[in-house]
Amino acid sequence: MRTREEVEATLQVAKVDPAELHPVVQCLSFGSQADDAAECYLLQLEPELCAELEAGRSLVIRGDREEHAVLCSKDKTYDMKIADTSNTLLFLPGCETPEDFSSDKPTSNILHTQISGISKNFWELRKCRPKLKKLKKLLMENPYGGPDGEKESASASSKVENQTGEALLDQVQASEDEIMHQLKVLKACQIEGYWRMLDFDYEMKLLNHVTQLIYSESWPFSKVPLSICLQELGSLEPAVWLLWISPPDQRLFSCSMLKIYLKTAKKDLIVCSA
C-alpha cells in the first residue's frame, strides 16, 4: 500500500500541483474477487426505473432462449442491448466521492479501495412496444368451447395450465399492465382462474341466446338492459355470461360492444362497429 510520501512523489513526477487536488487520496488495488467480474453485469437505468427500485418494486427480465430479452416494469417494456465503452469500468464497492468527505477529515488521509471487478460494456435500455402477438397465440391454442367442450377435450386440462396469469407473465414479453390491457382487447375471460378466449362456435351460441332474447322482448339493438339480460340468460352459461357481455356496473350494453356480425331472422347483415 502506498504511503503519503509515495503519493506526493508520484504527483511531483507527473508535474501535478497537490494544491489543485482534493487532499484525500484514494489508492486502488485489485482484490481477490476481481476475477469474478464475469458474474457481474452493469445496467444503465433511467431515473424513472431507479425510482421503481427505490420504492421496493421489481424489474423483471422476460424472454425464452430463442427470444431477445426485454426488461419490464409494472407498466412499461424495454429492449436490452449491450453497449461497449472505450473506457474501462471499475467495480468499487467501497469507493467514496468528494461529497462523502467531511470537513474534519485529516488532510493527509489516504483511502485504500479494492477493485472487485472490471467491465468494458454495460446493458442499456430503450423503451419499446410490448411484444403481444404471442399472447393471442397462447390463448388460441386452447379456446374455451363451453362446459361440454371441456369435457370432450382430453388435452384441454394440460394445455390450459399455460393460461394462468402467472404463466402468461412468464411467457409474454410485456409488462403486467400491458398484458392485462391486451387481454381486455382480445375479449379474454378469466374462467376458473385461467384466461381463455371463446371458441368462435361457442361465441356464436352465446350470441344466438342474446339475439333471441332481444327479439322476444322487442328491444332495440342499440340499447339492451344488461341486468335483465343476465337475469334471463345467466342460468344457461353462468360461468361466462357476466364476463363476456359487459362489466357488471353497466346497466346497458349496445350492439357495438359485441364487435361481431349478426344475422337477423330476415337474414340481413348487421355490422356492429367497434
Side-chain angles (χ1 to χ4, degrees):
M1 294 185 180
R2 291 187 177 185
T3 63
R4 187 72 192 186
E5 290 73 17
E6 291 175 329
V7 171
E8 292 178 352
T10 302
L11 293 176
Q12 186 176 4
V13 171
K15 297 181 180 180
V16 176
D17 185 2
E20 298 177 355
L21 304 178
H22 198 283
V24 179
V25 178
Q26 294 195 72
C27 295
L28 306 182
S29 61
F30 287 94
S32 58
Q33 298 179 348
D35 294 336
D36 298 332
E39 299 179 1
C40 301
Y41 298 92
L42 296 177
L43 182 63
Q44 186 181 54
L45 298 178
E46 59 184 32
E48 183 180 355
L49 292 178
C50 288
E52 290 278 324
L53 293 177
E54 291 171 354
R57 291 184 283 271
S58 300
L59 302 178
V60 184
I61 297 176
R62 295 192 171 113
D64 292 334
R65 290 182 179 273
E66 65 276 7
E67 296 174 330
H68 189 80
V70 299
L71 183 139
C72 300
S73 64
K74 183 71 167 60
D75 58 353
K76 293 182 178 64
T77 304
Y78 299 83
D79 264 329
M80 299 180 63
K81 294 184 179 180
I82 293 180
D84 295 323
T85 174
S86 58
N87 298 321
T88 300
L89 304 174
L90 305 178
F91 298 166
L92 302 171
C95 181
E96 294 186 59
T97 62
E99 291 77 11
D100 300 323
F101 300 147
S102 59
S103 58
D104 58 350
K105 286 246 183 185
T107 57
S108 61
N109 189 28
I110 295 181
L111 302 179
H112 296 279
T113 305
Q114 285 195 339
I115 301 172
S116 62
I118 298 176
S119 179
K120 294 185 178 180
N121 52 53
F122 61 92
W123 288 93
E124 65 176 359
L125 305 178
R126 294 183 181 179
K127 193 178 298 183
C128 66
R129 299 178 63 180
K131 302 176 182 181
L132 296 166
K133 289 184 179 180
K134 190 175 182 180
L135 178 61
K136 184 176 181 179
K137 180 182 178 182
L138 290 171
L139 295 178
M140 290 303 297
E141 288 179 355
N142 186 35
Y144 184 76
D148 295 336
E150 293 291 289
K151 294 178 182 178
E152 295 175 0
S153 178
S155 61
S157 58
S158 59
K159 290 182 179 179
V160 80
E161 294 297 330
N162 293 327
Q163 295 176 211
T164 63
E166 291 185 2
L168 293 177
L169 285 173
D170 288 339
Q171 299 174 84
V172 180
Q173 292 184 294
S175 68
E176 182 177 354
D177 287 357
E178 290 166 333
I179 290 176
M180 296 305 297
H181 174 74
Q182 187 66 12
L183 287 171
K184 293 180 181 179
V185 172
L186 295 173
K187 298 295 182 183
C189 303
Q190 193 172 27
I191 303 172
E192 297 180 355
Y194 300 97
W195 284 100
R196 312 290 297 276
M197 287 184 66
L198 300 187
D199 179 78
F200 181 77
D201 291 338
Y202 183 63
E203 191 170 358
M204 291 300 100
K205 176 184 176 181
L206 297 179
L207 187 57
N208 182 62
H209 291 319
V210 175
T211 54
Q212 291 297 326
L213 180 61
I214 290 174
Y215 284 125
S216 65
E217 299 292 339
S218 299
W219 290 332
F221 275 107
S222 61
K223 190 174 289 187
V224 179
L226 174 61
S227 58
I228 298 177
C229 188
L230 291 176
Q231 183 179 355
E232 295 291 332
L233 302 176
S235 59
L236 299 177
E237 301 288 346
V240 177
W241 275 115
L242 190 60
L243 298 169
W244 181 68
I245 293 179
S246 183
D249 59 342
Q250 287 186 232
R251 298 180 60 188
L252 302 173
F253 73 94
S254 66
C255 183
S256 62
M257 295 179 66
L258 300 177
K259 295 185 178 180
I260 55 178
Y261 298 97
L262 302 178
K263 284 188 177 180
T264 66
K266 296 180 181 180
K267 296 184 179 181
D268 294 329
L269 191 64
I270 299 178
V271 180
C272 300
S273 59

